[in-house]
Amino acid sequence: MSKKRSVFLIFVLIFSSSMLFEEAYGHSMFNSAEQFEAGYRVQVATLPEFPQIGEPSQFLVKVTKGFEYEDVDRFTMGIRVFFNGQQVDAIPPTSIEGNHWDFDYVWRQQGNHIVKIDLYDMSENGVITYTFNMGTQSPFGMIFFGAIIVGALVFTGVMIYIYMPKIFKKSKL
């Protein structure tokens, strides 16, 4: 019984360690969202997924039309960024050819930001406003992720060190 449990544990460890080398992502990006209003869908995301304070990141915006998500030929958009209820930044209305707008942006404060995207001249009302929640993290956030990964690797190493000699010893008998 102990041998079966040890073999099972080794297979679980090998299988889980092989997942470290896979590059398939099963979740959407942390700072990504979409909103459908007045016949248009606006998608936003940041690259990297967790923007660092004071470092350039990319702000990605895509606009489509209708429920079939048809690409628009051009759009005019302005962006307002709020932090703790105060507007901290604004990007004036800009005309974009195509349906993508990718631009560099530097986040200045750590925490959650409210991003209001204004889509101009796409409806009879004139301006359609989309509201998104975006977050940033401090440079120490990467240390946290690194500590979790190192802890998982150390745990795997300890389990292999404990159970591998027992399996080889029992197989010689």
Side-chain angles (χ1 to χ4, degrees), residues 49-67:
E49 188 173 359
F50 297 102
Q52 299 295 318
I53 305 303
E55 294 181 14
S57 62
Q58 264 199 321
F59 208 95
L60 314 167
V61 180
K62 182 178 181 181
V63 178
T64 56
K65 180 180 180 180
F67 289 108

Side-chain angles (χ1 to χ4, degrees), residues 8 23 31 56 86 92 144 163:
F8 175 73
E23 289 194 286
N31 273 340
Q86 300 289 325
F144 175 72
Y163 285 107

